[in-house]
Structure formats: structure tokens, C-alpha cells
Amino acid sequence: MHRSCTHIHTQRNTRTAARINNTPKGGRRENSAGVQGVCLLKPSRQSLAMACGSPQQGGAKATQLSPRASAFSIAALMARSPAGSRGGRDAATRGTIAAHEKFVEASPRRDEEDEEGDDGVTSSVADPAGVADVPTRSRGGPAAVAATAVPGMEALIRPGGSPAPSAELASVTCALETKELWEKFHELGTEMIITKSGRRMFPTIRVSFGGVEPDAKYIVLMDIVPVDNKRYRYAYHRSSWLVAGKADPPLPARLYVHPDSPFAGEQLHKQMVSFEKLKLTNNELDQHGHIILNSMHKYQPRVHIIKKMDHTSSLVNLKSEEFRTFVFPETVFTAVTAYQNQLITKLKIDSNPFAKGFRDSSRLSDLESSVYLERACAGGPGRESVDSLIQKHTYARSPVRPYSTSGGGDDDLDDAQCGAPPRGSAFTSTAGLALGGAWVSHAFSPSGAPIAAPLPGRPDRVSPSCAPSSSSSSSSSSSSSSACSTSSSSISPSASSVHAAAAAAHAYARLGGLQAHGAGVHGPALSAFHLQRYHHYFQQGPYAAAMQGMRHHSAVMTHFV
Amino acid sequence: MHRSCTHIHTQRNTRTAARINNTPKGGRRENSAGVQGVCLLKPSRQSLAMACGSPQQGGAKATQLSPRASAFSIAALMARSPAGSRGGRDAATRGTIAAHEKFVEASPRRDEEDEEGDDGVTSSVADPAGVADVPTRSRGGPAAVAATAVPGMEALIRPGGSPAPSAELASVTCALETKELWEKFHELGTEMIITKSGRRMFPTIRVSFGGVEPDAKYIVLMDIVPVDNKRYRYAYHRSSWLVAGKADPPLPARLYVHPDSPFAGEQLHKQMVSFEKLKLTNNELDQHGHIILNSMHKYQPRVHIIKKMDHTSSLVNLKSEEFRTFVFPETVFTAVTAYQNQLITKLKIDSNPFAKGFRDSSRLSDLESSVYLERACAGGPGRESVDSLIQKHTYARSPVRPYSTSGGGDDDLDDAQCGAPPRGSAFTSTAGLALGGAWVSHAFSPSGAPIAAPLPGRPDRVSPSCAPSSSSSSSSSSSSSSACSTSSSSISPSASSVHAAAAAAHAYARLGGLQAHGAGVHGPALSAFHLQRYHHYFQQGPYAAAMQGMRHHSAVMTHFV
DNA sequence: CTCTTCTCACCTAGGTGTTAATTT
DNA sequence: AAATTAACACCTAGGTGAGAAGAG
């Protein structure tokens, strides 16, 4: 199983040859540049003048039917055939699943898993386990892991379609778009480049929401939390990740408020939310609002949604039900300053349009690719090619989802035919996804949709388990699917009228946030101290805060540490 | 005075030579393309997938002092020396005026004026005159027209600094950034290309606000209204515009809601609002939310600001004081499908970074340019070069204004030294700026800042003069400077709790909007019919409406006709 | 040695005026 | 004859991994 696709294993040399016009490639040119070790960017005029060129052009298609209206019926449909049915919701999820398209063998991923299993340096962090286990179980056991790739049903929790009784956001669903591409990367062990000036993520986190109130307003945020308390290194000869020790000191935690926030609920129904502008950096002193990460550490992106209760648009009636968190385990990645796994490099080059210049002109054509992939898939038809995935990922950039309703519903059986993928996600089955504690452990829906519970109502209940050193909350309870929606113990915190942004901060704190593995800066999850700090940045709510100064950096800084 | 700068009068041939690499330039290549006369765009994938690349990147500089805090004192300063003082507010307006830098002679402009004066085809549209006259008069007569170019004082109305007593937005000021560049174009007779797919404006309308409440929220919009009821043609041999007849039928009126709306007041204080993404089109069926214009017609852009009263964020307590309109006469332009005046072409090429490829490599260098310009300015020092204007315009793209407070205040006398420009704007002195009627006639501040009155309170009072055929409202009363701020007869309309967007529509209707010269579709300025139509598009307020579907087209469609 | 930083060629995405061809 | 359209070369702006060089 290790490297069955040798002809894809074109290593360093292949990439060199891939360049079409090989001019004096690489290396500095006439720039002597006695580098002073300072990380300052060249202070050109351009670096200050922000250009525009947004993807906000293109075709119209603004008037489309809102297929989300039938979300519940689709959910019911899916509940009946959890492994294969799909709603044909939009073009991005219409094709066949190709998560285990096996562009290459997933061996590196296996090694990683073995590593985690063997090494067992689970540290002191509690492993709620349920985070990753729920989707697997609810899908019908390990054999059905492949069904995770079934698109269109990720966020359709609560199959019966009955909304939660009380919680404000209980009925909100969240689906990861371009899930297939994420899974392809996940199989290899996703890596994300971090640079001093900030680097985008690829693939991009794109989600679509359901179950929101059309007339309400919502703030959508993202953060990226450490997966464990480890530092990793890549064993090139083994093509595997090894634990290199304990994690480095935590970095300033930052929330990335989606720049289009606040969203109207109606808007969320119609279009997806793309975090393509989010950037990752390893510069602790970053002033651009980018998310700061430690290289060679593993991270888990998370998506949060907050219902905006703006009376006078500056206060929010904070209740635990007013925000929710969604975690997609297939988006786990290792932050790196340079790619370690060459297969990741290759997949990025082949799937990221901006890296097209590095594609091997002699690589598999679309036809060859599909032929190859079909073979890899044991003859199952309908398996998506990398190209189609890429196309969908690119197409998904359109903020307005056309929701092409034609077709898309005839791949159900194909998915099943293709059998289980070679590997489930390491994190899905065994790894410790210690996202701060147990309060995100039931974040997944029965259909595999990562749906965080509306968060435990009381901070004090959470804070103990939030402590990084307290391995007490390692309730490996793979919370049942029903727990996902009903676990909202949901008691309104004492603060019933704090700032909307503070609410986000609150949620953040209770979620454990980035400190989950950090030093001992933990008190009550929502100390007045922390709230104040958040309040400083969210003086007018996350949206306004993002708008002010940092908005055009598409982020809000939250120096939470 | 006619063409004193002949060596700049490089006509068509010069531009051809300007291209650096003259490959098989122009013309279709292997594309036989039996054009079918259909205007459909090539339906590529890209045209649907909206890319993003907005100007929301770049340097930080988010933490800057807010010099706007001293706006009133500066205003007082300016009131004392209306012709020359400047506050040195920010880099964009810090240099010396170069409006009459005389890149070329303003003869075409003169011809145009003559045309309007001689021809006198003022049609039936009322000419409120005051629209253009107020700034001139309040400045001290025609001789002071040059002072129009004085930057930094445009929006600083009410020199004493005493805010209006009651009106919500009475104290709001609005300044046109990169005013100097606008004036350079204005002297030649600005032209704007309109295309089927939409073309940006250049220069861009960029404004900064003052006097807003930090905690309030504001919606900033733009529209573009016809200046008169005429159609024009360009007499190439005379280098002048001639009236070619009555205007073509009006096109669907559209409001362009700034995509960053709503703005927090604090935000408006710190950063400027740029309408760089606004696009113009001649496609009546445009689905992108672009502003639709008739080619060979003259238009006046207008900026509107609405105070958002969002209780539950969907209703607004509509009062006449809650929005205001600002008109900058130097931004008048003629919509064209191809440039007519070659001097405009040259100025665009020299000032628009995207047209850099057409710049004459043998053109004046920065040094030469400044030398030349100094000569043209009769030896006055401190005159800005085209390049510095361009630099400022480009730099002004940054949404966050650094407000460099150093320098910038020492050009006052230089401006005066330079004497009056060869030409005041035709519209400023004689032309009929029939922006729908008298309700924008007192839209200018004593300092020359185009400040619209808070709008007459009652629609019915406005509607009669709004009728295009009623030349009754031609009260040439160059309303006194005080009238500008106190003219807010401001009686709350009957509707005291309508939708925020409807409020915008309301304002729009009362302002006369694009129908000012249109057919006889006029009833009461704010008929229930019109309100309903607006309501349809603004179902969640202009902001939300813009967000939904059209937001990523950076506009809101308002089929007002 | 491993890891990070920096510059570069090569892309995507899209904003310019030019030009020839077409339309009115 | 005048105005419009569409393809095009040439830009800006910025995202990409390659590769050399630097730092530890």
C-alpha cells in the first residue's frame, strides 16, 4: 500500500522539470541583499497602497432559488440512507466523492497515525475523543467512514428535522464546502505554509449554513486551535511525521471575523462563507490581523457563528445559545514554513490555480487522470478527478452559490460502490483532538456534520477542563449523535447584556480557545480580565471592530494571551 | 491661451508611439469571430466565479491619531482665509493645488461653456443655479473660483464650528479626496468610459466624512444623475463638445451602496470611503448592479450618507435629517464609449496606474514635468506635479488613512500666488446643473465644500420642482452659506418608522434622482409606488440588500423607473 | 543537521487604452 | 459619418512553490 502510485511519486526533480519556462530560476539575482535577519518587508509604496482585485466580479446569477428551503426534507432523506444519499445542493458538492481518490497512497498519513498511536505522547491534554468519533459511529462504524465524503449532508444534523426546543442556534447547520478536496489533503496529512507576511490557506475553508433565521444577523468567525501539545518533525526518509517534543509556548490567540460580517440570515442561506482571505503567519508581532501559528505544530480550524442581538447595535443579550462552533476534522493541518511531504506539494500544485506554473506539463491529463483514478478506486465510476475537484473549489469562490439543482443526485450508489477509503482520518479514529476540553467533544452531527454543541452554558463548568494541564476531562465518551443537538445544557451566563463582541470573546474563552494547551493563564473561563481584553478590541462588536482599522486586513486581533 | 502647451498636444500618433513594445498591436488576431451583434459576454467559467482580490490587504497603520478631532478648529481657520488656507489633513490633500497646472489649455472646456452659453439649449429643465453658484459666491466672486482647488477644506462647513441645532446629520461634512486630480480632469472636461461589462471610474470618487457620531452607524451611497437634458457630440476639429439634441430616454436609476456599509461613525472619522469598485455601464439590462448611463450625456456623481437607525436593525426612524447629499461639481463627466478628447486620454494614461502600459516612454520625467509645470504656473513654487497627484491618488487607495500630520500646512500662500486658474468649471459658473430641482441647490458650503442640505423635510414640497418639465424651480438664489446648514426646513415625513433602505429610497426620490430629466413618470416625489419598489430591493436595508446577491457586485440595484 | 527567510519566475485576476470591425 | 463593440497587449496586484541562503 505504500506508494502504489509510483509514477506520481515524481520527487524534487520532477517539480523542477515541471516548470515550463526555466529561466535563471530561483535564487536571488542581482540583489546582494545583506540580509540583516530582520523580517521587515520591503517598504514600498505598494505595500501600503492596498489594491483591490477582489473576486467580486463575474457573472450575475444573483437571482437563484434558495434550495436551502428544503434542507429539512433533504435531511430526512439522508437520515434514511446515511451512507450515500445526497441532495444535489450545489455545484460544489454535486460530483462524486473523491476523498480517497488515492492520488497517492495514504501511507504518510498512516505513519502519522501509527506515530500517534505508538508514541502516545498524548501529553497532559485531555482527549475528548468524541470530537472525532461521533461522525464515525453515527455513520455506522469504521466501514462507513468513506461515507464521510458524501457531500451535501454535512450540516444536516437532526435528521428528523425537528429543531431544538430552546437554543437560539440549535437548528443552525454548517457544511464544509469542497469537502472532497479537503479530504484528499487530509489523507496525505495537510500542511499549511506560514510566512512572516502571511500566507493564505489552501484549500480554503468554505462553509454554508442552514437553519438560520432570515431576518436575524449573524457574525461568522474562525479561529485555529492547537490539536495537541506536541511539536512535530518530518522524517523525510520515512515520509512520516514524528513527535519532536512538547509544544512551543502558545502564541497570541486571534479570532478572524469574516470581513462580510454581519451576515443577514437570508444571505447565509443563499451564499457560502469563504475564508479565503484569512492568512496564517508565524510572526508573533504581526500587525495585519493574521492568525499566528507555531510552525511544526498541528492545528484545527474552527468556525463559529454568533447571532447578533443588536439593540442599538452595540449590546448583545448574551446567552449560551447565541453562538455555536463547528469543527471539521478533515481540515486539521500542520503549520510549516516549507512543505515537508512532497505529495502535499504536488497536490497543492495540482489543485491551487495560483501554483499552476509549477504543474508538470507531462502530468496526467484529465482523461488519463480519471482513468488512473478509476483504477485506484477499484473500478467505481463517478469518482471525481482532481481536476473536477479543483474546478469546484475554484468555482466555489463565487460568493453566490447558484445551487444548480440539475443532476447531482445520481451518485449515491457510486459512492457506496467505491468502498471504504484506504484510510479514515487519523484524527477521526484515534488521535487526540484536544480542542481545549470536552465542550467541543460533541460537536458532530450524526450525519458526520461537525456541529458543535451550543456550548455549555456556564463558564465555570467549563473552565476546569479547559486547563491545559488537567487531563481530567478526558471523557472519551464519544457522545451519541443525539447528544450533539441536545447537549446544550445551556444556561445563560450571568452576563445577560454584554457587548456582542464580548460575546464572541466569551464563547471563545469557554471554548477553550488557543490557551487550551498553553501556559497556566487559566482562571475561570471567562474572567473579567479576559472579557475586558476582548472588549478592547470589540468595542463595537466584532463586525465593527473588524471594520475599524483591521477590517481591511480582514481580521480582528484578539490578544487573548 | 488656446493651446499654449503645444508640445503636450501630442495627438493620436504620439499615443501610438507611446507603446513600449509594439507587437501586432490591436485588432483581432486569429479570431475570425463573425460577430452576431449580440452583446453577450463570453460565458467562461471565470465570468461566473468571482475572484476576490480586494484592496483589503496591505500595510497596517491601523492605529493612527484621528486628526478629524480638530476639524472644527480647522474649519474656523479656513473661514478666515477662504481662498488659501488648508489644514494639512492628510497626505492626499497636503500638496499644493495643481488644478490649473495647465497640462494643456482648457480651451475645450471653454468651448463647452460657450456652447452652453450660446446654445442655451437649457431645455425645459429648471436650473437651480445655486447648485453651482453657491461655492463661487461664497468664496468671494468669480475671481476666487481658483480657490475651489484648495484642498482640505471642502467639507468643513459651518466655519464657526457650531453644529446645527436639530438636524441629525447637519454637522456631517464630506470632503472629496484627490480633489486636485479631479480638477485637472475637470478642466479638460472629464470623460468616463462606459462599457457593456462595466468600467470603473477614473479618477475614483473618494470622500472623507467629518462630524459623524462615533457610535452611530451610517450607510454611504452614491448615485449619478444627469446634469441636463441634452445629448452631446464632440467636434473633433474644434476640440469641443456640442449639443446634439435632447437627452435619450432615461435609464434605470441605480443606487450604489458602498459595499462596506454600514460604517461605524468612528470608522468614518478615521478612513476615507472609496468608490473605486463602482462601475459604469451602458447596458440597460445589466445584472451586476453597475450604474447605467447614457453615452454622450453629462452626469454628476453624488454621495449620500444615511444615519442608520436600527432598532432590530430593520427599521429606521425616518426623518429628513437622517441623510444628506454631497455634490462635488468637479466630478461632473461625460459618459462615452470611447474617449473623445485626446487630452483626457493622455491624462488618464498618465494618471491611471492600470494604463501605464500606454505611457510615452519619452514623456516628461518627474523632474521635467515639475519644471514644466512650474513654468506653466508662473513660477509659483509648491505646485504639484501630475506624478505627485497620481501618487496621492494611488496611495489614497488605502482604506486607512495615515493622516500624516507633518507638513502640509505651508502651501497656503503658494496657492494664492498661483493666481486664478484659466477656467472655473463651466458648471460652476454658468451651466445648468439640474440635479432634479432646487433641493440640491444649496448643497455647497461656504468654503466651497459641496454640502447638500439635509433635504427638504416634506416630499410633497419637493416633488413639484422635481418634475423634469417644470422649469419653475429655477430659483437662481445662490443660497447663502448659512442657508446651507440652516435650510433644513426638516420636518419629519409622515413615515416615522419605515425601513432603513426605504429611507434611502425616500431620500433618493426626494432628491429628484435620475428621473429629474426623465419622462413624465413623476408624481409626488415619494409615492407609495416608489417606496414599494425600493422596499423590494431594500428589504433588509441598503446594506443587507447590497449584501444579498448584489453585494459582491458592490452595488444595489434600484429599478426606480 | 533542521528549520526559516528571501527572492524569483510563473501564475490568476482583472483594470487600461488601442485598434479593427461592426452597428446605427 | 459617428458611435459601439470585442479582442488584444500591457499593465497592477498579488498568490504560488522553487531554490538559495541564512540561522540555529
mmCIF file of all heavy atoms in Angstrom, chain A residues 92-104:
data_model
loop_
_atom_site.group_PDB
_atom_site.id
_atom_site.type_symbol
_atom_site.label_atom_id
_atom_site.label_comp_id
_atom_site.label_asym_id
_atom_site.label_seq_id
_atom_site.Cartn_x
_atom_site.Cartn_y
_atom_site.Cartn_z
ATOM 1 N N ALA A 92 -20.785 22.685 -6.042
ATOM 2 C CA ALA A 92 -19.551 22.371 -5.324
ATOM 3 C C ALA A 92 -19.593 20.976 -4.735
ATOM 4 O O ALA A 92 -18.570 20.359 -4.509
ATOM 5 C CB ALA A 92 -19.315 23.391 -4.221
ATOM 6 N N THR A 93 -20.767 20.482 -4.470
ATOM 7 C CA THR A 93 -20.835 19.181 -3.834
ATOM 8 C C THR A 93 -21.578 18.184 -4.709
ATOM 9 O O THR A 93 -22.035 17.167 -4.245
ATOM 10 C CB THR A 93 -21.572 19.302 -2.491
ATOM 11 O OG1 THR A 93 -22.855 19.849 -2.745
ATOM 12 C CG2 THR A 93 -20.801 20.180 -1.533
ATOM 13 N N ARG A 94 -21.668 18.501 -5.957
ATOM 14 C CA ARG A 94 -22.508 17.676 -6.795
ATOM 15 C C ARG A 94 -21.803 16.456 -7.333
ATOM 16 O O ARG A 94 -22.407 15.442 -7.591
ATOM 17 C CB ARG A 94 -23.040 18.506 -7.951
ATOM 18 C CG ARG A 94 -24.122 17.827 -8.719
ATOM 19 C CD ARG A 94 -24.609 18.783 -9.763
ATOM 20 N NE ARG A 94 -23.602 19.817 -9.978
ATOM 21 C CZ ARG A 94 -23.724 20.733 -10.909
ATOM 22 N NH1 ARG A 94 -24.783 20.765 -11.665
ATOM 23 N NH2 ARG A 94 -22.794 21.637 -11.079
ATOM 24 N N GLY A 95 -20.533 16.562 -7.521
ATOM 25 C CA GLY A 95 -19.823 15.450 -8.119
ATOM 26 C C GLY A 95 -19.725 14.262 -7.188
ATOM 27 O O GLY A 95 -20.257 14.254 -6.094
ATOM 28 N N THR A 96 -19.045 13.297 -7.672
ATOM 29 C CA THR A 96 -18.872 12.113 -6.838
ATOM 30 C C THR A 96 -17.780 12.370 -5.826
ATOM 31 O O THR A 96 -16.921 13.212 -5.997
ATOM 32 C CB THR A 96 -18.472 10.926 -7.703
ATOM 33 O OG1 THR A 96 -17.263 11.271 -8.379
ATOM 34 C CG2 THR A 96 -19.540 10.619 -8.699
ATOM 35 N N ILE A 97 -17.803 11.632 -4.807
ATOM 36 C CA ILE A 97 -16.755 11.814 -3.821
ATOM 37 C C ILE A 97 -15.444 11.275 -4.352
ATOM 38 O O ILE A 97 -15.381 10.250 -5.001
ATOM 39 C CB ILE A 97 -17.043 11.087 -2.503
ATOM 40 C CG1 ILE A 97 -17.920 9.862 -2.757
ATOM 41 C CG2 ILE A 97 -17.612 12.005 -1.495
ATOM 42 C CD1 ILE A 97 -18.093 9.039 -1.536
ATOM 43 N N ALA A 98 -14.449 11.965 -4.007
ATOM 44 C CA ALA A 98 -13.124 11.548 -4.452
ATOM 45 C C ALA A 98 -12.133 11.644 -3.314
ATOM 46 O O ALA A 98 -10.950 11.801 -3.502
ATOM 47 C CB ALA A 98 -12.654 12.413 -5.611
ATOM 48 N N ALA A 99 -12.661 11.567 -2.144
ATOM 49 C CA ALA A 99 -11.783 11.791 -0.997
ATOM 50 C C ALA A 99 -10.660 10.766 -0.970
ATOM 51 O O ALA A 99 -9.535 11.077 -0.639
ATOM 52 C CB ALA A 99 -12.591 11.710 0.291
ATOM 53 N N HIS A 100 -10.968 9.600 -1.333
ATOM 54 C CA HIS A 100 -9.941 8.552 -1.303
ATOM 55 C C HIS A 100 -9.581 8.184 -2.725
ATOM 56 O O HIS A 100 -9.378 7.047 -3.070
ATOM 57 C CB HIS A 100 -10.426 7.348 -0.548
ATOM 58 C CG HIS A 100 -11.877 7.065 -0.775
ATOM 59 N ND1 HIS A 100 -12.855 7.878 -0.291
ATOM 60 C CD2 HIS A 100 -12.501 6.096 -1.450
ATOM 61 C CE1 HIS A 100 -14.031 7.394 -0.643
ATOM 62 N NE2 HIS A 100 -13.836 6.330 -1.355
ATOM 63 N N GLU A 101 -9.570 9.185 -3.506
ATOM 64 C CA GLU A 101 -9.219 9.025 -4.897
ATOM 65 C C GLU A 101 -7.808 8.464 -5.015
ATOM 66 O O GLU A 101 -7.356 8.077 -6.073
ATOM 67 C CB GLU A 101 -9.287 10.408 -5.537
ATOM 68 C CG GLU A 101 -9.494 10.431 -6.991
ATOM 69 C CD GLU A 101 -9.674 11.881 -7.385
ATOM 70 O OE1 GLU A 101 -8.744 12.650 -7.193
ATOM 71 O OE2 GLU A 101 -10.760 12.209 -7.853
ATOM 72 N N LYS A 102 -7.142 8.508 -3.954
ATOM 73 C CA LYS A 102 -5.803 7.932 -3.883
ATOM 74 C C LYS A 102 -4.901 8.493 -4.961
ATOM 75 O O LYS A 102 -4.354 7.780 -5.791
ATOM 76 C CB LYS A 102 -5.854 6.409 -4.005
ATOM 77 C CG LYS A 102 -6.639 5.734 -2.961
ATOM 78 C CD LYS A 102 -6.132 5.839 -1.561
ATOM 79 C CE LYS A 102 -4.653 5.697 -1.317
ATOM 80 N NZ LYS A 102 -3.854 4.873 -2.124
ATOM 81 N N PHE A 103 -4.791 9.759 -4.933
ATOM 82 C CA PHE A 103 -3.825 10.369 -5.832
ATOM 83 C C PHE A 103 -2.475 9.743 -5.570
ATOM 84 O O PHE A 103 -1.679 9.505 -6.466
ATOM 85 C CB PHE A 103 -3.787 11.870 -5.573
ATOM 86 C CG PHE A 103 -3.044 12.623 -6.604
ATOM 87 C CD1 PHE A 103 -3.492 12.617 -7.912
ATOM 88 C CD2 PHE A 103 -1.908 13.309 -6.288
ATOM 89 C CE1 PHE A 103 -2.815 13.309 -8.887
ATOM 90 C CE2 PHE A 103 -1.227 14.006 -7.265
ATOM 91 C CZ PHE A 103 -1.677 14.003 -8.551
ATOM 92 N N VAL A 104 -2.257 9.485 -4.360
ATOM 93 C CA VAL A 104 -1.096 8.692 -3.948
ATOM 94 C C VAL A 104 -1.561 7.819 -2.792
ATOM 95 O O VAL A 104 -2.669 7.972 -2.290
ATOM 96 C CB VAL A 104 0.056 9.585 -3.464
ATOM 97 C CG1 VAL A 104 0.597 10.410 -4.619
ATOM 98 C CG2 VAL A 104 -0.432 10.464 -2.365
#
